[in-house]
């Protein structure tokens, strides 16, 4: 079976990690040949991961949609030329199935529809503008099946789509990489003295990092041995949000909040973490949380995406409402004062992750979708 997997953003993030991981696992386990097509701009880290996983890949000059007026105009201007580029690749590769990623990445859907191929549309968010949903509803008529990363995504996009066309499949973690017994601690994180509280993911407003910073400020009034780390890409498209966060850190005089930028060796970062925090205000299937679970970390997370499906509040972690920094600080404080509770949370979370969220489990679900569509 041949799959053409299209994503129109080359920057490393959760979807890119999922694509590389799943494509490699499907090749290894089910002999599925996947070609991943993506923009060549800002894609070095993604390319490196695809090569590492033994996945065929092709980066091309194709415009991704951005939020700036100039970026939107360029995207519209290049829409049909980019669609033609994709159609040429489709004709050359002649895949059995085209797998497109992201509700706003319409070029792959249009190209696949023109080429007459079976289409999978993979959805992994719950926050895009209303006009995106309008276009999505139009294009969804040409799609064979949808993969939704959880119930909230299904409710957001697919409430009017027939159930037999929708498959809810979580984002996976790499069971080979995220193993505490086979991971060394991160020397850079360990160079900071004290207990370490970590959050990870590319920096954008969905991550609710202002609340993470506010919680850090509250905790500093009770403890003098804490270090707070934000690990994730700092991209130009988020410069205003990043500027706001750093201004908040400065105004609160927080010398123990560190923006580490993109760090490739996330398992080692998690190994060095005492507590993992997800302060997001919206998510679908938060891969960073699943990875922290797999590493046996004590976790405090907002109630976003599918978190409550796999973490039991008070048993395998703490789950709090979004935008509640004081409650966030209170739950972190409980874990700081009770290491046994944190160890219990970590054990239970790790078991849940391995049973439900590993790439072994998730790749089987992807294979079932492909197999059903190819019949």
């Amino acid at each position: 079976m041949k799959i053409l997997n299209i994503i129109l953003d080359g920057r490393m993030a959760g979807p890119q990690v999922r694509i590389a991981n799943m494509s490699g696992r499907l090749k290894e386990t089910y002999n599925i040949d996947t070609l991943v097509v993506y923009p060549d701009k800002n894609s070095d880290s993604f390319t490196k991961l695809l090569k590492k996983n033994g996945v065929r890949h092709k980066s091309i000059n194709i415009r991704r949609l951005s939020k700036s007026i100039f970026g939107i105009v360029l995207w519209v201007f290049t829409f049909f030329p980019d669609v033609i580029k994709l159609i040429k690749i489709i004709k050359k590769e002649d895949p059995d199935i085209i797998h497109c990623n992201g509700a706003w990445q319409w070029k792959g859907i249009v190209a696949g529809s023109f080429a007459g191929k079976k289409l999978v549309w993979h959805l992994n968010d719950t926050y895009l503008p209303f006009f995106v949903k309008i276009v999505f509803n139009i294009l969804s008529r040409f799609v064979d099946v949808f993969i939704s990363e959880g119930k909230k995504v299904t409710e957001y996009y697919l409430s009017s789509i027939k159930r037999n066309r929708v498959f809810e499949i979580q984002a996976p973690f790499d069971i080979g990489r995220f193993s505490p017994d086979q991971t060394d601690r991160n020397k850079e994180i360990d160079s900071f003295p004290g207990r370490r509280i970590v959050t990870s993911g590319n920096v954008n407003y969905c991550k609710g990092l202002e609340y993470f910073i506010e919680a850090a400020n509250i905790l500093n009034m009770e403890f003098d041995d804490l270090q707070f780390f934000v690990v994730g890409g700092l991209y130009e498209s988020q410069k205003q949000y990043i500027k706001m966060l750093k201004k908040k850190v400065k105004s609160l005089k927080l010398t123990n909040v560190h923006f580490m930028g993109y760090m490739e060796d996330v398992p080692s970062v998690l190994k060095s973490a005492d507590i993992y925090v997800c302060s997001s205000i919206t998510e679908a299937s938060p891969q960073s949380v699943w990875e922290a679970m797999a590493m046996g970390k004590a976790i405090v997370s907002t109630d976003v995406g599918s978190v409550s499906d796999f973490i039991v509040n008070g048993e395998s972690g703490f789950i709090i409402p979004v935008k509640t920094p004081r409650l966030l600080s209170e739950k972190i404080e409980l874990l700081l004062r009770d290491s046994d509770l944190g160890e219990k949370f970590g054990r239970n979370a790790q078991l849940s992750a391995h049973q439900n969220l590993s790439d072994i489990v998730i790749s089987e679900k992807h294979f079932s979708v492909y197999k059903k569509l190819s019949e």
Side-chain angles (χ1 to χ4, degrees):
M1 190 185 301
K2 292 180 65 176
I3 307 296
L4 183 65
N5 199 309
I6 301 172
I7 184 163
L8 300 183
D9 193 340
R11 299 173 300 177
M12 184 68 86
Q16 287 74 14
V17 173
R18 177 210 0 114
I19 289 167
N21 192 1
M22 280 295 93
S23 298
R25 179 64 69 176
L26 287 165
K27 178 182 178 181
E28 178 184 337
T29 308
Y30 301 104
N31 197 31
I32 291 179
D33 177 29
T34 301
L35 173 67
V36 180
V37 176
Y38 56 97
D40 52 13
K41 188 175 181 180
N42 299 321
S43 62
D44 289 349
S45 295
F46 187 29
T47 299
K48 184 177 179 180
L49 183 59
L50 289 165
K51 287 181 179 178
K52 182 179 179 181
N53 286 14
V55 178
R56 288 201 304 131
H57 55 280
K58 185 178 183 63
S59 61
I60 62 175
N61 182 16
I62 190 169
R63 172 69 57 173
R64 72 175 183 86
L65 183 61
S66 66
K67 295 180 180 179
S68 70
I69 298 299
F70 180 69
I72 292 172
V73 170
L74 279 178
W75 183 85
V76 172
F77 184 75
T78 60
F79 188 91
F80 285 108
D82 285 350
V83 167
I84 291 170
K85 289 178 186 177
L86 291 172
I87 290 174
K88 289 180 179 178
I89 294 172
I90 293 168
K91 288 184 177 180
K92 181 179 179 181
E93 288 292 322
D94 192 26
D96 300 292
I97 295 168
I98 296 176
H99 188 147
C100 296
N101 299 269
W104 55 271
Q105 301 193 41
W106 307 324
K107 294 177 181 179
I109 296 296
V110 174
S113 180
F114 271 117
K117 295 295 181 178
K118 293 182 177 180
L119 291 171
V120 176
W121 202 344
H122 197 127
L123 306 171
N124 61 339
D125 66 79
T126 58
Y127 64 91
L128 290 181
F130 182 69
F131 83 93
V132 174
K133 292 183 69 174
I134 294 175
V135 178
F136 169 82
N137 288 332
I138 295 171
L139 293 179
S140 64
R141 303 170 189 174
F142 305 101
V143 175
D144 296 279
V145 300
F146 300 85
I147 292 178
S148 161
E149 290 191 358
K151 295 177 182 177
K152 292 184 180 180
V153 179
T154 302
E155 292 168 359
Y156 188 75
Y157 284 111
L158 303 170
S159 58
S160 62
I161 302 294
K162 290 183 179 180
R163 295 298 91 185
N164 64 350
R165 294 174 63 200
V166 179
F167 298 84
E168 290 185 2
I169 305 176
Q170 300 295 324
F173 73 89
D174 186 335
I175 197 169
R177 288 187 70 214
F178 291 89
S179 171
D181 295 335
Q182 300 178 32
T183 304
D184 295 326
R185 296 175 65 90
N186 186 278
K187 293 180 180 179
E188 187 173 2
I189 299 295
D190 279 355
S191 68
F192 293 84
R195 290 179 285 181
R196 304 165 186 89
I197 299 166
V198 172
T199 187
S200 65
N202 290 337
V203 175
N204 62 70
Y205 79 96
C206 297
K207 302 302 180 183
L209 293 171
E210 57 267 49
Y211 307 109
F212 180 73
I213 292 168
E214 291 171 20
N217 185 51
I218 296 169
L219 287 163
N220 281 342
M221 299 176 188
E222 297 292 330
F223 302 92
D224 61 3
D225 66 335
L226 304 181
Q227 303 287 346
F228 298 87
F229 299 92
V230 178
V231 177
L234 302 166
Y235 292 118
E236 180 69 17
S237 60
Q238 299 296 328
K239 63 181 180 180
Q240 292 301 320
Y241 182 66
I242 295 167
K243 183 178 179 180
M244 181 274 288
L245 294 176
K246 291 186 175 181
K247 184 176 179 180
K248 179 181 281 289
V249 169
K250 186 176 180 180
S251 67
L252 293 173
K253 299 179 180 179
L254 301 177
T255 59
N256 61 339
V257 174
H258 314 284
F259 291 89
M260 305 301 291
Y262 173 73
M263 299 181 74
E264 184 174 337
D265 192 1
V266 176
S268 72
V269 171
L270 293 173
K271 183 69 177 283
S272 291
D274 293 288
I275 296 171
Y276 183 83
V277 171
C278 170
S279 58
S280 295
I281 59 175
T282 180
E283 291 278 0
S285 180
Q287 199 166 353
S288 60
V289 176
W290 309 157
E291 291 167 353
M293 292 169 65
M295 292 295 290
K297 294 291 110 175
I299 296 170
V300 182
S301 176
T302 47
D303 189 9
V304 289
S306 302
V307 167
S308 61
D309 291 335
F310 303 106
I311 292 179
V312 178
N313 189 33
E315 291 294 327
S316 49
F318 284 129
I319 301 177
I320 62 171
V322 300
K323 302 181 181 180
T324 55
R326 182 160 294 278
L327 187 56
L328 175 59
S329 68
E330 289 174 1
K331 297 304 184 184
I332 294 172
E333 181 176 353
L334 286 174
L335 292 170
L336 288 169
R337 297 193 184 281
D338 189 346
S339 60
D340 290 339
L341 179 63
E343 290 177 5
K344 171 191 170 184
F345 281 6
R347 289 192 301 270
N348 292 341
Q350 187 179 54
L351 179 61
S352 176
H354 279 254
Q355 289 177 340
N356 302 292
L357 299 163
S358 77
D359 53 356
I360 295 173
V361 174
I362 300 303
S363 65
E364 184 178 356
K365 295 182 179 182
H366 277 263
F367 176 69
S368 295
V369 172
Y370 290 159
K371 185 177 180 181
K372 180 175 181 179
L373 193 54
S374 64
E375 289 175 349

